[in-house]
PDB file of all heavy atoms in Angstrom:
ATOM      1  N   THR R 376      98.771  80.688  72.708  1.00 92.00           N
ATOM      2  CA  THR R 376      97.783  79.613  72.754  1.00 92.00           C
ATOM      3  C   THR R 376      97.751  79.068  74.165  1.00 92.00           C
ATOM      4  O   THR R 376      98.790  78.911  74.810  1.00 92.00           O
ATOM      5  CB  THR R 376      98.141  78.480  71.775  1.00 92.00           C
ATOM      6  OG1 THR R 376      99.429  77.956  72.110  1.00 92.00           O
ATOM      7  CG2 THR R 376      98.149  78.974  70.347  1.00 92.00           C
ATOM      8  N   SER R 377      96.552  78.783  74.636  1.00 88.00           N
ATOM      9  CA  SER R 377      96.423  78.336  76.020  1.00 88.00           C
ATOM     10  C   SER R 377      95.210  77.437  76.152  1.00 88.00           C
ATOM     11  O   SER R 377      94.172  77.677  75.511  1.00 88.00           O
ATOM     12  CB  SER R 377      96.280  79.542  76.950  1.00 88.00           C
ATOM     13  OG  SER R 377      96.143  79.131  78.291  1.00 88.00           O
ATOM     14  N   SER R 378      95.326  76.379  76.947  1.00 86.00           N
ATOM     15  CA  SER R 378      94.199  75.495  77.222  1.00 86.00           C
ATOM     16  C   SER R 378      94.409  74.846  78.573  1.00 86.00           C
ATOM     17  O   SER R 378      95.478  74.981  79.184  1.00 86.00           O
ATOM     18  CB  SER R 378      94.076  74.419  76.133  1.00 86.00           C
ATOM     19  OG  SER R 378      95.051  73.404  76.318  1.00 86.00           O
ATOM     20  N   ASN R 379      93.375  74.131  79.049  1.00 83.00           N
ATOM     21  CA  ASN R 379      93.507  73.446  80.332  1.00 83.00           C
ATOM     22  C   ASN R 379      94.155  72.075  80.184  1.00 83.00           C
ATOM     23  O   ASN R 379      94.288  71.333  81.149  1.00 83.00           O
ATOM     24  CB  ASN R 379      92.135  73.300  80.999  1.00 83.00           C
ATOM     25  CG  ASN R 379      91.189  72.428  80.187  1.00 83.00           C
ATOM     26  OD1 ASN R 379      91.372  72.262  78.984  1.00 83.00           O
ATOM     27  ND2 ASN R 379      90.172  71.883  80.847  1.00 83.00           N
ATOM     28  N   LEU R 380      94.551  71.725  78.957  1.00 83.00           N
ATOM     29  CA  LEU R 380      95.143  70.414  78.702  1.00 83.00           C
ATOM     30  C   LEU R 380      96.646  70.480  78.486  1.00 83.00           C
ATOM     31  O   LEU R 380      97.321  69.451  78.516  1.00 83.00           O
ATOM     32  CB  LEU R 380      94.476  69.780  77.469  1.00 83.00           C
ATOM     33  CG  LEU R 380      92.960  69.553  77.574  1.00 83.00           C
ATOM     34  CD1 LEU R 380      92.428  69.000  76.267  1.00 83.00           C
ATOM     35  CD2 LEU R 380      92.643  68.618  78.731  1.00 83.00           C
ATOM     36  N   SER R 381      97.180  71.675  78.252  1.00 86.00           N
ATOM     37  CA  SER R 381      98.612  71.788  77.982  1.00 86.00           C
ATOM     38  C   SER R 381      99.110  73.158  78.438  1.00 86.00           C
ATOM     39  O   SER R 381      98.326  74.057  78.742  1.00 86.00           O
ATOM     40  CB  SER R 381      98.904  71.605  76.484  1.00 86.00           C
ATOM     41  OG  SER R 381      98.240  72.614  75.732  1.00 86.00           O
ATOM     42  N   SER R 382     100.423  73.303  78.479  1.00 89.00           N
ATOM     43  CA  SER R 382     101.022  74.576  78.871  1.00 89.00           C
ATOM     44  C   SER R 382     100.741  75.641  77.827  1.00 89.00           C
ATOM     45  O   SER R 382     100.612  75.342  76.631  1.00 89.00           O
ATOM     46  CB  SER R 382     102.544  74.424  79.032  1.00 89.00           C
ATOM     47  OG  SER R 382     102.857  73.502  80.048  1.00 89.00           O
ATOM     48  N   ALA R 383     100.642  76.870  78.261  1.00 92.00           N
ATOM     49  CA  ALA R 383     100.474  77.992  77.333  1.00 92.00           C
ATOM     50  C   ALA R 383     101.783  78.233  76.580  1.00 92.00           C
ATOM     51  O   ALA R 383     102.870  78.040  77.136  1.00 92.00           O
ATOM     52  CB  ALA R 383     100.067  79.237  78.086  1.00 92.00           C
ATOM     53  N   VAL R 384     101.676  78.653  75.332  1.00 94.00           N
ATOM     54  CA  VAL R 384     102.847  78.971  74.514  1.00 94.00           C
ATOM     55  C   VAL R 384     102.640  80.356  73.896  1.00 94.00           C
ATOM     56  O   VAL R 384     101.572  80.637  73.336  1.00 94.00           O
ATOM     57  CB  VAL R 384     103.070  77.930  73.403  1.00 94.00           C
ATOM     58  CG1 VAL R 384     104.273  78.329  72.540  1.00 94.00           C
ATOM     59  CG2 VAL R 384     103.275  76.548  73.988  1.00 94.00           C
ATOM     60  N   ALA R 401     107.123  78.454  76.452  1.00 92.00           N
ATOM     61  CA  ALA R 401     105.965  77.904  77.158  1.00 92.00           C
ATOM     62  C   ALA R 401     105.999  78.410  78.591  1.00 92.00           C
ATOM     63  O   ALA R 401     107.028  78.842  79.106  1.00 92.00           O
ATOM     64  CB  ALA R 401     106.006  76.382  77.127  1.00 92.00           C
ATOM     65  N   GLY R 402     104.838  78.373  79.219  1.00 90.00           N
ATOM     66  CA  GLY R 402     104.774  78.836  80.596  1.00 90.00           C
ATOM     67  C   GLY R 402     103.486  78.421  81.270  1.00 90.00           C
ATOM     68  O   GLY R 402     102.608  77.796  80.669  1.00 90.00           O
ATOM     69  N   ASP R 403     103.375  78.780  82.523  1.00 89.00           N
ATOM     70  CA  ASP R 403     102.194  78.444  83.319  1.00 89.00           C
ATOM     71  C   ASP R 403     101.124  79.513  83.104  1.00 89.00           C
ATOM     72  O   ASP R 403     100.918  80.393  83.933  1.00 89.00           O
ATOM     73  CB  ASP R 403     102.578  78.351  84.793  1.00 89.00           C
ATOM     74  CG  ASP R 403     101.422  77.888  85.664  1.00 89.00           C
ATOM     75  OD1 ASP R 403     100.436  77.368  85.103  1.00 89.00           O
ATOM     76  OD2 ASP R 403     101.494  78.050  86.895  1.00 89.00           O
ATOM     77  N   GLY R 404     100.462  79.472  81.961  1.00 91.00           N
ATOM     78  CA  GLY R 404      99.460  80.466  81.614  1.00 91.00           C
ATOM     79  C   GLY R 404      99.995  81.449  80.591  1.00 91.00           C
ATOM     80  O   GLY R 404     101.217  81.556  80.370  1.00 91.00           O
ATOM     81  N   PRO R 405      99.118  82.193  79.933  1.00 93.00           N
ATOM     82  CA  PRO R 405      99.548  83.096  78.850  1.00 93.00           C
ATOM     83  C   PRO R 405     100.461  84.221  79.315  1.00 93.00           C
ATOM     84  O   PRO R 405     101.355  84.634  78.571  1.00 93.00           O
ATOM     85  CB  PRO R 405      98.226  83.631  78.292  1.00 93.00           C
ATOM     86  CG  PRO R 405      97.217  83.417  79.384  1.00 93.00           C
ATOM     87  CD  PRO R 405      97.645  82.183  80.096  1.00 93.00           C
ATOM     88  N   SER R 408     103.984  82.697  80.040  1.00 94.00           N
ATOM     89  CA  SER R 408     104.670  82.333  78.796  1.00 94.00           C
ATOM     90  C   SER R 408     105.080  83.566  78.003  1.00 94.00           C
ATOM     91  O   SER R 408     106.143  83.590  77.362  1.00 94.00           O
ATOM     92  CB  SER R 408     103.764  81.434  77.941  1.00 94.00           C
ATOM     93  OG  SER R 408     102.581  82.111  77.552  1.00 94.00           O
TER      94      SER R 408
END
Side-chain angles (χ1 to χ4, degrees):
T376 59
S377 179
S378 77
N379 63 338
L380 300 177
S381 61
S382 298
V384 178
D403 185 15
S408 63

